[in-house]
Each structure stands twice: as structure tokens, then as C-alpha cells.
Amino acid sequence: AQKITQTQPGMFVQEKEAVTLDCTYDTSDPSYGLFWYKQPSSGEMIFLIYQGSYDQQNATEGRYSLNFQKARKSANLVISASQLGDSAMYFCAMREGGPGDTGRRALTFGSGTRLQVQP
Amino acid sequence: DGGITQSPKYLFRKEGQNVTLSCEQNLNHDAMYWYRQDPGQGLRLIYYSQIVNDFQKGDIAEGYSVSREKKESFPLTVTSAQKNPTAFYLCASRGNYGYTFGSGTRLTVV
């Protein structure tokens, strides 16, 4: 079964508008972390934002915020005031287990959403 | 500055050849990971290592091998047994504050 699902292969947004990229996840582990990465055409993975499963508040980092709905197992990324430089692939990822846990603690990735910002 | 260096950036392989992708980190991280990315897809875990001289298979380990003789280095060998090796390969390490990725190696079979 897919552990991370991103249902939007591609999205368009007008410059200066907000956009929401969807992510749902599946885990039975009570402790986990959710990450969003941006991948421009160069291929590098740029970390955007992190949400821990026990965090009470939604994470925010500048223009990025994470809409975390634990009961629905969703972790949507909201980008406010889109810029042309935001055009890229965006990946949602999950790490199962907490900071003190053993185990592989590798990131599991979704299939990504390609965001195109139009002037 | 601390980070992960992957080399080469581009690699061409003839069918039937083994090739080795380099991954070096100076972050003093114990855990390191190799991922494969196919066009338009997410990253899939090939191998990981949580400590020197130990490594484990990930989700798609067939046709790949790794070693971890030094903390700083985690090379990936793509063997001739890998039927479809053309892909983008990313190395990552994990520290107390999250994951750091290298800039990737793009492997093409010619």
C-alpha cells in the first residue's frame, strides 16, 4: 500500500496567489515526521518544512505552511504569494519512528507534484 | 561548509558494466541512504547504513551493492544485474536536525 500519496501530478498557479499541494499518508506508527521538499530541474532536494506527529501547531516557515490534519492523515503544503522561482517538483515524505527510535528511519516519498507558476 | 558530495554528476555506462557512484559527507552523520529517482517519480530507497561496517537493503536493492568502510563514505555500485539502471541517484545522510541530500548522479546506459 502507498504510504505517501500525492494526487496532483501537476498544478498551475498565478504569480502572487496561494496554492495548496495535497499529501496524505498511511502509517500505524504513533510517532512519525512529515517533510516537504522542493526539487528544481537541477535535481537537488531542498528542504522546506517539517511537522512532527506530536506537534500541536501547524508548522510554518516563511511563505510555507503545513496544514496538518492528523485524524484525516493529511499534510498539505500551502505556499503563499507564489513566485516564479517556486516552479519545481514538490515531494511529500514521511519518516516513521521518533527521534529516539531505532530502525531505518529512511524517508518514504510520494510521487510528487509539478508546480508551475505563471506570470 | 558541511555537506554531501556526489560524483560524478553525469555517468554513462555500457551494458554489462559495473559502475560505482561516490557519496562523501563531512557532517559526521552516522546514517546514510541511497535513493533512486526515475523521471517524474518519487525517490525509492536502495540501501541504507546506520553505522560504519553495517548496511541494510532498502526497497529496491536488487542489482546494487554498497560498502561502508568509513563514516564519511557510502559508495553505491550499480552492477550488471540491474536491468534498468538509467536513473537519477541521490545520496542522503541523517543528523539530529534532519536529512541532507547530495546533488545527485545522473546515470545513463548507452
Side-chain angles (χ1 to χ4, degrees), chain A residues 43-62:
Chain A
E44 61 186 310
M45 297 293 284
I46 301 170
F47 167 74
L48 296 177
I49 198 165
Y50 167 80
Q51 180 86 39
S53 59
Y54 294 116
D55 293 344
Q56 295 295 314
Q57 293 189 321
N58 288 344
T60 60
E61 290 285 351

Side-chain angles (χ1 to χ4, degrees), chain A residues 35 37 39 41-45 89 91 95 103-107 109-111, chain B residues 33 35 37 40-43 45 48 50 58-59 88 90 94 99 101 103 106:
Chain A
F35 299 74
Y37 287 88
Q39 187 180 45
S41 56
S42 59
E44 61 186 310
M45 297 293 284
M89 281 289 285
F91 291 98
R95 178 216 67 225
R104 75 183 199 178
R105 297 178 61 202
L107 291 173
F109 286 83
S111 56
Chain B
Y33 306 85
Y35 288 91
Q37 185 180 25
Q41 301 295 316
L43 280 64
L45 183 67
Y48 66 99
Q50 299 198 80
D59 302 320
F88 186 57
L90 281 159
R94 174 173 53 79
Y99 299 79
F101 284 83
S103 55
R106 203 167 294 276

